[in-house]
């Protein structure tokens, strides 16, 4: 096992809402070990929230830029703090440091503590993309996906009923899905996990905290993304127009 001290974990909010980054940063620091320095950043480009395929695709260039810059500045690992795992495969291909998505991290952690799991996300637009991730991660037989039916940015509005709608959906998940654990399907909910766990008396998993702990585990074990096959370093080639800055600078792995 590798001795780690003062490791720097970059936590990227893939949307451009800075107040949500503050919520994410607080959750990340609450989960992190004393030896971890959490550097939370807001994407410099893209949508204000990510709800569905269109938002997700347009958020990816900002995520990749943040990870590229963060690695150059000395980050030891990166967390993509959107439950769509926005740009995760591209980021792992580009970066040499470990990159963790909060959906994959949360589902992995939930599998240790429950057989029946329900993900509760915010917007109905997110249900199918999250279901596809659940299937990809091999969890379809154990996981249901629900939505509170509230836009993500309403979490930032104290006058909204977003949290009450979330609580109602969790209650339905416990009664109708027979859920044994709840996964919060949005990084903007990260500050709610502890209070919801006390209220409903089941494990409630926030993907931000889960991803930070798994990043720490990879660093402690001296592990990073394999560079043979799917995550091989990108080949050098021209990129044009708005994407010209994404041409990879290194030779591809052999």
């Amino acid at each position: 096992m590798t001795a780690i001290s003062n490791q720097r974990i970059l936590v990227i909010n893939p949307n451009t809402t800075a107040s949500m980054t503050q919520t994410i940063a607080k959750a990340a620091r609450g989960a992190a070990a004393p030896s971890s320095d959490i550097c939370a950043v807001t994407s410099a480009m893209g949508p204000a929230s990510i709800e569905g395929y269109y938002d997700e695709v347009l958020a990816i260039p900002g995520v990749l830029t943040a990870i590229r810059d963060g690695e150059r500045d000395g980050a030891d690992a990166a967390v993509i703090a959107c439950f769509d795992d926005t740009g995760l495969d591209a980021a792992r291909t580009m970066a040499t440091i470990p990159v963790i998505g909060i959906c994959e991290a949360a589902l992995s952690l939930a599998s240790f503590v429950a057989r029946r799991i329900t993900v509760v996300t915010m917007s109905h637009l997110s249900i199918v993309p999250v279901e596809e991730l659940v299937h990809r991660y091999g969890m379809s037989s154990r996981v249901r996906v629900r939505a509170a039916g509230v836009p993500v940015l309403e979490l930032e509005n104290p006058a909204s009923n977003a949290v009450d709608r979330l609580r109602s959906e969790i209650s339905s998940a416990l009664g109708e899905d027979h859920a044994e654990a709840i996964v919060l399907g949005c990084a903007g909910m990260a500050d709610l996990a502890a209070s919801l766990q006390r209220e409903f008396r089941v494990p409630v998993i926030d993907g931000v905290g889960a991803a930070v702990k798994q990043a720490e585990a990879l660093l402690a074990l001296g592990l990073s993304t394999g560079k043979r096959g799917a995550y091989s370093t990108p080949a050098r080639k021209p990129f044009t127009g708005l994407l010209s800055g994404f041409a990879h600078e290194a030779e591809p792995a052999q």
Side-chain angles (χ1 to χ4, degrees), residues 142-154:
R142 298 171 63 178
V143 177
R144 286 280 313 271
V145 181
R146 290 175 169 266
V150 181
V152 169
L153 292 179
E154 286 299 291

Side-chain angles (χ1 to χ4, degrees), residues 86-167:
T86 308
L88 178 60
D89 285 329
R92 285 176 172 166
T93 302
M94 178 192 71
T96 61
I97 60 176
V99 183
I100 310 295
I102 67 169
C103 176
E104 187 173 22
L107 293 177
S108 297
L109 196 63
S111 73
F112 299 150
V113 297
R115 290 295 302 172
R116 291 179 173 175
I117 301 155
T118 295
V119 174
V120 182
T121 187
M122 294 302 295
S123 170
H124 286 110
L125 290 172
S126 298
I127 290 178
V128 171
V130 172
E131 286 177 337
E132 290 175 343
L133 285 176
V134 168
H135 177 73
R136 173 181 173 176
Y137 298 145
M139 298 281 285
S140 295
S141 65
R142 298 171 63 178
V143 177
R144 286 280 313 271
V145 181
R146 290 175 169 266
V150 181
V152 169
L153 292 179
E154 286 299 291
L155 286 166
E156 302 284 295
N157 178 10
S160 78
N161 67 344
V163 176
D164 287 339
R165 292 284 294 273
L166 172 61
R167 293 173 64 251

Side-chain angles (χ1 to χ4, degrees), residues 188-210:
M189 303 178 190
D191 58 336
L192 303 174
S195 62
L196 292 171
Q197 181 165 289
R198 288 192 298 268
E199 178 178 355
F200 290 101
R201 300 182 182 181
V202 295
V204 176
I205 294 144
D206 151 49
V208 175

Side-chain angles (χ1 to χ4, degrees), residues 37 41 45 81-82 87 115-116 165-166 173 178 205 218 237:
D37 175 20
V41 300
M45 65 184 91
C82 174
R115 290 295 302 172
R116 291 179 173 175
R165 292 284 294 273
L166 172 61
H178 306 289
I205 294 144
L218 288 173
K237 66 185 71 172

